[in-house]
């Protein structure tokens, strides 16, 4: 089994923090020689569990980030497409779902559902006027589905006034339909969010800070050997060690 460098460094981190933290506690009840042995044993066991949790979290994050990237790319592609191309794409998807379709009224009429699907993809937000226009294109006995990446709460509330005749389908629903039938559009352009970096207190919970907290924890623990008031250094040392472990396991990765 291959072990990456980051995993090995994590293991060393957990081993040091686990040993120091457990030694602080065990040394309070047992003689020092026995404390060393038990602390080392606990640290090894803790390291094995911590590494497993860390690896599982990395796999989950990788899968989630990959899915989010594919989703974002698909939405960008749909937002860049002209309406005719979008209609052709979803017409294929509906037909693969087993529906009989007919392109009319600027959308796709789905016979079996007695519903006309309209598409409002683009970088402009869907408005109440868009909802009204779609409503005016259907007969009294039919319903309308509106597909778009997102809908504001105001538009959602407005659509709800039509007694179920207007059904909003967001980007996740559209993505699931296209992905199911391998019809996700190709990504020809990408956009970086301008709001990636925000000024907040999340930096204090940055995973990178775990190393600093570990260093402080080990330093305070070491100073307790020479200081007259040992309890003060041990308490702060333990606090820094616990915080370092929490950040290492559950902290936010650097942006």
């Amino acid at each position: 089994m291959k072990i990456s460098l980051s995993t090995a460094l994590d293991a060393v981190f957990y081993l040091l923090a686990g040993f120091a933290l457990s030694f602080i506690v065990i040394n309070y009840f047992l003689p020092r020689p026995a404390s060393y042995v038990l602390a080392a044993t606990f640290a090894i066991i803790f390291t094995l569990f911590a590494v497993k949790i860390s690896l599982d979290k990395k796999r989950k994050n990788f899968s989630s980030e990959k899915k989010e990237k594919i989703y974002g790319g698909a939405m960008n592609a749909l937002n860049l497409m002209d309406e005719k191309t979008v209609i052709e794409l979803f017409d294929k998807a509906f037909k693969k779902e087993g529906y009989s379709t007919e392109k009319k009224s600027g959308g796709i009429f789905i016979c079996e559902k007695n519903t006309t699907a309209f598409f409002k993809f683009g970088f402009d937000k869907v408005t109440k006027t868009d909802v009204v226009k779609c409503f005016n294109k259907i007969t009294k006995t039919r319903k309308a589905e509106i597909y778009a990446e997102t809908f504001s709460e105001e538009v959602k509330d407005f659509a709800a006034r039509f007694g179920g005749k207007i059904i909003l389908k967001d980007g996740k629903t559209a993505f699931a339909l296209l992905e199911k039938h391998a019809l996700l559009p190709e990504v020809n352009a990408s956009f970086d969010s301008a709001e990636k970096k925000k000024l907040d207190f999340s930096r204090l919970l940055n995973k990178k800070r775990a190393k600093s907290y570990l260093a402080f924890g080990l330093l305070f623990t070491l100073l307790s050997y020479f200081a007259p008031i040992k309890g003060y250094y041990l308490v702060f040392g333990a606090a820094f060690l616990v915080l370092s472990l929490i950040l290492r396991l559950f902290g936010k990765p650097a942006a």
Side-chain angles (χ1 to χ4, degrees):
M1 181 179 69
K2 293 183 179 180
I3 300 177
S4 66
L5 179 60
S6 62
T7 302
L9 291 175
D10 282 345
V12 173
F13 183 97
Y14 298 134
L15 191 64
L16 286 174
F19 175 81
L21 187 59
S22 57
F23 179 77
I24 290 173
V25 177
I26 297 171
N27 188 52
Y28 185 80
F29 301 99
L30 297 176
R32 188 160 295 178
S35 298
Y36 285 129
V37 175
L38 286 177
T41 303
F42 176 82
I44 292 172
I45 295 172
F46 172 76
T47 298
L48 293 175
F49 279 104
V51 168
K52 184 181 185 304
I53 292 173
S54 181
L55 288 174
D56 289 343
K57 186 181 178 184
K58 286 179 180 178
R59 292 191 194 100
K60 184 177 179 181
N61 287 342
F62 177 77
S63 177
S64 177
E65 288 174 6
K66 185 178 180 181
K67 187 83 170 181
E68 191 65 29
K69 187 175 181 180
I70 295 173
Y71 172 79
M75 289 301 106
N76 283 337
L78 288 171
N79 288 331
L80 287 168
M81 284 180 182
D82 59 80
E83 187 176 37
K84 182 179 178 181
T85 305
V86 171
I87 289 175
E88 290 290 344
L89 183 67
F90 279 86
D91 186 52
K92 291 178 182 178
F94 292 142
K95 285 178 178 176
K96 287 194 174 185
E97 284 282 287
Y99 295 124
S100 300
T101 63
E102 183 182 347
K103 298 170 192 172
K104 61 189 304 184
S105 303
I108 302 173
F109 176 62
I110 306 171
C111 303
E112 288 80 359
K113 296 171 66 176
N114 196 30
T115 300
T116 301
F118 298 98
F119 305 93
K120 297 297 176 181
F121 288 101
F123 296 105
D124 293 327
K125 293 182 179 179
V126 178
T127 65
K128 294 179 183 178
T129 302
D130 293 323
V131 174
V132 173
K133 286 181 179 178
C134 292
F135 177 76
N136 288 334
K137 289 180 180 180
I138 60 174
T139 63
K140 292 182 179 180
T141 59
R142 292 178 182 174
K143 294 181 180 180
E145 292 180 344
I146 303 176
Y147 286 79
E149 183 177 359
T150 58
F151 299 95
S152 66
E153 290 301 320
E154 184 181 15
V155 169
K156 289 179 182 178
D157 293 337
F158 182 70
R161 298 182 189 178
F162 291 83
K165 290 182 70 66
I166 300 293
I167 304 165
L168 303 182
K169 301 281 189 176
D170 63 13
K172 291 182 179 179
T173 304
F175 178 84
L177 174 64
L178 297 176
E179 183 185 40
K180 178 180 178 181
H181 300 294
L183 290 172
L184 289 176
E186 293 183 7
V187 182
N188 296 319
S190 61
F191 298 89
D192 294 325
S193 173
E195 299 182 357
K196 274 188 176 180
K197 294 184 179 179
K198 294 183 179 180
L199 184 62
D200 55 24
F201 296 102
S202 62
R203 293 182 181 181
L204 296 175
L205 301 178
N206 196 303
K207 188 175 181 179
K208 281 190 173 182
R209 289 184 176 269
K211 291 184 287 186
S212 299
Y213 292 133
L214 174 64
F216 279 119
L218 294 176
L219 179 61
F220 273 88
T221 303
L222 183 62
L223 288 175
S224 68
Y225 279 89
F226 312 103
I229 308 176
K230 297 180 181 294
Y232 171 85
Y233 289 95
L234 288 175
V235 168
F236 275 91
F240 277 118
L241 290 169
V242 170
L243 185 56
S244 71
L245 287 172
I246 292 173
L247 289 184
R248 194 71 174 188
L249 282 169
F250 308 108
K252 296 181 179 179

